[in-house]
């Protein structure tokens, strides 16, 4: 028997247009996509945003997480098949992402097309439907610049990586118009130190595939997206050699299966809809990408592109968490007022909204750098953003979950899944220390990249004294790095990267966000009122920016 009527619970968050209700995304398209491409981009992204916020997409995501990937190593006759079975919801998510042009299409559009910004906005939009399947979508996009180190291979594979067709399950050579890509770098003895890898490659000319062919033997500790059609893999041609990069297809051009044994799937904290595996290579055919012994140089283009998607994915997780928090607090009443009208809750929501907007702006700006061929800014900016935005996502999501109270801790409300997902992008493609040290290497080896970042951060000079002072201090400290002890510089690198990220985000906020939000961001992140946790803004800043920030974060904008 019912004991009471259910009251004071928010309505379901559905029927939302995830793209159109995010001003940072819509304004980014207007700002950085050329006018002749803008209407088409907006129309496609609006359709994608409506689907991302629909009950249909939520159902696909729920099923993909309830019915997690299952490894099938052998068929009923005992033949090795090494396949991964997915819920049909997974394939619907993948098919939608490919159909939206989120795989490698942007690379085929050319500089100045706005294609990378359009894809970045689409990735942030569609990631909010379900983030786990974005891993293979990201890898497929990132494989394109790596393969361009070998024009013959790029000519064969690029159009398939850029295709909007998703043909999972077709293994016959030439049958697929679109392919999905994965990566195999990490080994158990090396981790991020890929030069310690032991997988070896022996030249085998005239193999059953295009290019300079080798046979690979070794064990990969983490293989991203093992159900993919083609992989980029690192291996050494001799124990003392530097790693080389190889393209490894699941099915060879003569129709035979390439040896690619999936030993087990990883039981992960989050990202549970996606399969990650350990893989055994035993005489596995691969085609050399780039030059022998220059594999890190070839695959670093894939890593850099993947890192940008880590920023975009973390920005999407922040936005999805924030939208849920604002939606809940707009409908939940406590102590005589809706939560969103409670002063301290407004502080929390305002602070989260500032952080989310800054993360989205940075991701879109770095995508614009790709569109413009600005490799100097993207080289350092992506490493800086990967460190800061991805690391902030975990703290951000935890705070947003608290806005829902106990409801946020329950699976039904979606926050628990986002919370488990949040740490991934900070670990994937180099955790915090790896990225911080990569920033130091970039500054030392490519000083033009630092100049490009500082130039971008200086666009907003003269508008807010706090930002000007932070820029002055940062430029001075960067100029003195070369005179300091290397170990001391390394120990302080996280602090340096944080400062680089914050001044760059602050400049973007001043240039492109509402003035009250920009002023609040600069004062709270760079000024003397800075504090450790979210929700610690000076009350005057909440009064200044709260209405604008919360409105821009609302699902009903």
């Amino acid at each position: 028997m019912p004991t009471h009527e259910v009251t004071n619970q928010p309505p379901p968050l559905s029927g939302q247009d995830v793209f159109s209700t995010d001003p940072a995304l819509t304004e980014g398209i207007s700002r950085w996509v050329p006018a002749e491409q803008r209407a088409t981009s907006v129309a496609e992204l609006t359709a994608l945003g409506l689907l991302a916020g629909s009950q249909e997409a939520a159902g696909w995501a729920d099923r993909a997480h309830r019915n997690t990937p299952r490894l099938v190593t052998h068929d009923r006759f005992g033949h090795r098949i090494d396949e991964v079975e997915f819920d049909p919801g997974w394939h619907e998510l993948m098919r939608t992402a490919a159909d939206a042009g989120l795989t490698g299409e942007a690379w085929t559009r050319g500089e100045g097309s706005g294609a990378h910004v359009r894809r970045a906005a689409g990735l942030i939009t569609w990631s909010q439907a379900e983030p786990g399947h974005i891993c293979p979508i990201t890898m497929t996009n990132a494989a394109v610049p790596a393969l361009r180190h070998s024009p013959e291979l790029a000519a064969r594979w690029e159009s398939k990586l850029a295709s909007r067709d998703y043909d999972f399950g077709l293994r016959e050579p030439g049958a697929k118009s679109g392919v999905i890509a994965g990566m195999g770098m990490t080994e158990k003895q090396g981790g991020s130190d890929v030069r310690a890898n032991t997988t070896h490659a022996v030249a085998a000319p005239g193999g059953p595939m295009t290019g300079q062919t080798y046979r690979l033997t070794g064990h990969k500790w983490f293989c991203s997206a093992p159900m993919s059609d083609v992989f980029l893999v690192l291996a050494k041609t001799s124990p003392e050699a530097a790693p080389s990069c190889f393209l490894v297809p699941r099915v060879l051009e003569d129709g035979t299966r390439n040896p690619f044994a999936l030993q087990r799937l990883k039981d992960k904290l989050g990202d549970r809809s996606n399969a990650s595996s350990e893989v055994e290579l035993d005489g596995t055919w691969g085609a050399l990408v780039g030059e022998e012994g220059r594999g890190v140089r070839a695959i670093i283009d894939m890593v850099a592109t993947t890192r940008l998607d880590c920023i975009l994915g973390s920005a999407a997780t922040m936005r999805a968490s924030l939208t849920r928090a604002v939606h809940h607090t707009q409908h939940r009443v406590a102590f005589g007022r809706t939560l969103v009208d409670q002063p301290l809750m407004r502080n929390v929501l305002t602070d989260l909204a500032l952080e989310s907007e800054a993360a989205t702006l940075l991701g879109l700006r770095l995508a614009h750098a790709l569109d413009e061929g600005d490799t100097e800014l993207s080289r350092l900016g992506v490493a800086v953003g990967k460190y800061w935005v991805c690391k902030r996502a975990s703290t951000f999501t935890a705070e947003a979950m608290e806005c829902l109270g106990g409801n946020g801790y329950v699976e039904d409300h979606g926050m628990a899944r986002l919370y488990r997902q949040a740490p991934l992008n900070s670990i994937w493609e180099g955790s915090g220390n790896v990225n911080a040290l990569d920033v130091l290497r970039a500054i030392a080896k490519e000083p033009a990249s630092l100049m490009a970042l500082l130039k971008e951060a200086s666009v907003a000079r003269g508008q807010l004294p706090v930002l000007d002072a932070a820029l002055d201090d940062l430029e001075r400290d960067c100029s003195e790095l070369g005179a300091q002890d290397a170990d001391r510089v390394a120990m302080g690198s996280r602090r340096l990267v944080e400062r680089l990220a914050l001044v760059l985000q602050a400049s973007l906020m001043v240039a492109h966000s509402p003035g009250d939000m920009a002023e609040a961001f600069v004062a709270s992140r760079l000024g003397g009122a800075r504090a450790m946790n979210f929700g610690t803004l000076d009350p005057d800043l909440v009064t200044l920016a709260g209405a604008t920030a919360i409105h821009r974060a609302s699902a009903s904008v």
Side-chain angles (χ1 to χ4, degrees):
M1 294 179 61
T3 58
H4 60 83
E5 181 184 356
V6 176
T7 61
N8 200 26
Q9 292 287 348
L13 178 58
S14 62
Q16 172 198 6
D17 178 351
V18 174
F19 169 71
S20 299
T21 57
D22 188 340
L25 290 184
T26 57
E27 292 164 7
I29 294 295
S30 296
R31 181 183 308 118
W32 287 314
V33 172
E36 59 272 18
Q37 304 294 332
R38 201 172 298 151
T40 300
S41 295
V42 169
E44 290 185 338
L45 291 170
T46 299
L48 186 65
L50 285 167
L51 185 56
S54 70
Q55 284 296 105
E56 184 179 23
W60 296 340
D62 289 342
R63 291 197 300 272
H65 279 262
R66 285 199 308 269
N67 306 318
T68 54
R70 187 175 76 91
L71 175 61
V72 182
T73 56
H74 297 77
D75 67 13
R76 59 180 174 156
F77 302 107
H79 302 126
R80 189 100 197 191
I81 58 173
D82 295 294
E83 294 287 353
V84 181
E85 291 184 352
F86 294 88
D87 183 271
W90 165 271
H91 295 301
E92 293 299 335
L93 292 162
M94 290 288 291
R95 185 173 292 107
T96 301
D99 185 62
L102 303 185
T103 52
E105 182 184 89
W107 295 101
T108 68
R109 299 298 185 186
E111 291 183 8
S113 65
H116 286 287
V117 169
R118 182 254 177 221
R119 178 187 176 274
L123 197 81
I124 291 175
T125 297
W126 189 239
S127 292
Q128 293 179 60
E130 197 287 311
H133 77 288
I134 297 299
C135 170
I137 297 300
T138 286
M139 292 294 173
T140 305
N141 174 64
V144 174
L147 283 182
R148 288 182 174 178
H149 287 268
S150 290
E152 183 182 7
L153 293 177
R156 177 172 177 80
W157 290 96
E158 187 168 309
S159 63
K160 293 178 179 290
L161 294 165
S163 173
R164 291 195 177 201
D165 292 324
Y166 175 69
D167 298 320
F168 183 81
L170 291 177
R171 295 299 188 194
E172 297 79 8
K176 297 169 74 79
S177 58
V179 299
I180 298 298
M183 179 194 287
M185 286 200 303
T186 307
E187 297 184 8
K188 51 186 176 288
Q189 76 284 346
S192 296
D193 184 8
V194 295
R195 297 183 187 278
N197 284 4
T198 61
T199 297
H200 63 273
V202 177
M209 57 186 299
T210 302
Q212 185 178 347
T213 53
Y214 292 70
R215 302 202 75 162
L216 282 58
T217 303
H219 182 100
K220 294 298 180 180
W221 186 241
F222 271 98
C223 177
S224 300
M227 65 291 180
S228 299
D229 304 291
V230 64
F231 301 83
L232 291 184
V233 174
L234 290 182
K236 293 181 176 180
T237 54
S238 67
E240 65 278 0
S244 300
C245 181
F246 299 90
L247 180 142
V248 174
R250 286 292 298 270
V251 175
L252 300 169
E253 292 167 12
D254 62 4
T256 60
R257 284 179 173 266
N258 208 2
F260 198 84
L262 306 183
Q263 301 296 1
R264 65 168 176 161
L265 300 185
K266 300 290 190 178
D267 187 7
K268 299 167 294 185
L269 168 67
D271 204 50
R272 299 186 71 83
S273 66
N274 180 43
S276 301
S277 69
E278 292 179 40
V279 174
E280 201 74 37
L281 307 176
D282 186 8
T284 305
W285 288 100
L288 182 66
V289 178
E291 300 176 28
E292 192 172 300
R294 299 291 302 277
V296 173
R297 176 67 191 88
I299 212 166
I300 200 68
D301 288 334
M302 188 176 192
V303 171
T305 305
T306 303
R307 285 178 173 178
L308 175 56
D309 274 16
C310 290
I311 299 171
L312 301 173
S314 292
T317 297
M318 290 182 184
R319 179 70 187 188
S321 303
L322 175 63
T323 301
R324 283 169 168 77
V326 172
H327 176 76
H328 179 87
T329 59
Q330 285 174 330
H331 294 91
R332 183 80 161 178
V333 175
F335 308 108
R337 283 193 278 187
T338 55
L339 288 176
V340 74
D341 292 324
Q342 297 282 2
L344 187 52
M345 182 60 78
R346 290 188 71 79
N347 195 322
V348 172
L349 294 172
T350 301
D351 211 356
L352 292 174
L354 295 175
E355 191 76 18
S356 175
E357 176 127 351
T360 298
L361 269 177
L362 179 57
L364 294 180
R365 178 62 185 90
L366 294 172
H368 179 56
L370 282 185
D371 278 324
E372 298 300 302
D374 189 351
T375 56
E376 291 175 349
L377 176 59
S378 62
R379 168 68 182 93
L380 187 60
V382 167
V384 166
K386 165 68 165 69
Y387 172 87
W388 181 244
V389 174
C390 298
K391 194 167 287 296
R392 293 288 277 175
S394 294
T395 305
F396 185 107
T397 308
E399 192 67 60
M401 182 186 292
E402 286 193 32
C403 294
L404 277 70
N407 284 347
Y409 202 68
V410 175
E411 287 291 337
D412 294 351
H413 292 265
M415 287 298 304
R417 186 187 302 164
L418 291 168
Y419 182 69
R420 289 193 301 272
Q421 187 75 20
L424 172 63
N425 286 322
S426 192
I427 297 171
W428 189 18
E429 300 302 5
S431 53
N433 285 358
V434 172
N435 275 270
L437 295 174
D438 189 37
V439 168
L440 292 185
R441 281 190 292 272
I443 291 173
K445 293 183 178 181
E446 303 172 54
S449 65
L450 176 62
M451 295 300 103
L453 189 148
L454 292 175
K455 179 181 177 181
E456 179 67 24
S458 296
V459 168
R461 265 195 182 278
Q463 299 192 48
L464 293 174
V466 171
L467 176 56
D468 291 350
L471 275 165
D472 291 340
D473 291 344
L474 184 60
E475 290 173 352
R476 181 196 65 238
D477 292 346
C478 285
S479 69
E480 296 173 355
L481 287 175
Q484 298 181 31
D485 174 75
D487 285 349
R488 183 177 179 83
V489 172
M491 281 189 281
S493 60
R494 283 186 172 222
R495 173 62 180 156
L496 174 65
V497 177
E498 179 178 324
R499 293 169 64 197
L500 287 166
L502 286 173
V503 296
L504 182 54
Q505 286 185 319
S507 176
L508 290 168
M509 290 283 284
V510 171
H512 305 302
S513 293
D516 50 3
M517 290 180 65
E519 185 176 342
F521 184 89
V522 170
S524 59
R525 271 62 174 176
L526 299 175
R530 187 181 183 195
M532 297 293 290
N533 286 322
F534 288 110
T536 53
L537 296 175
D538 184 283
D540 290 339
L541 297 179
V542 180
T543 301
L544 171 71
T548 303
I550 294 171
H551 175 69
R552 287 169 71 86
S554 173
S556 60
V557 169

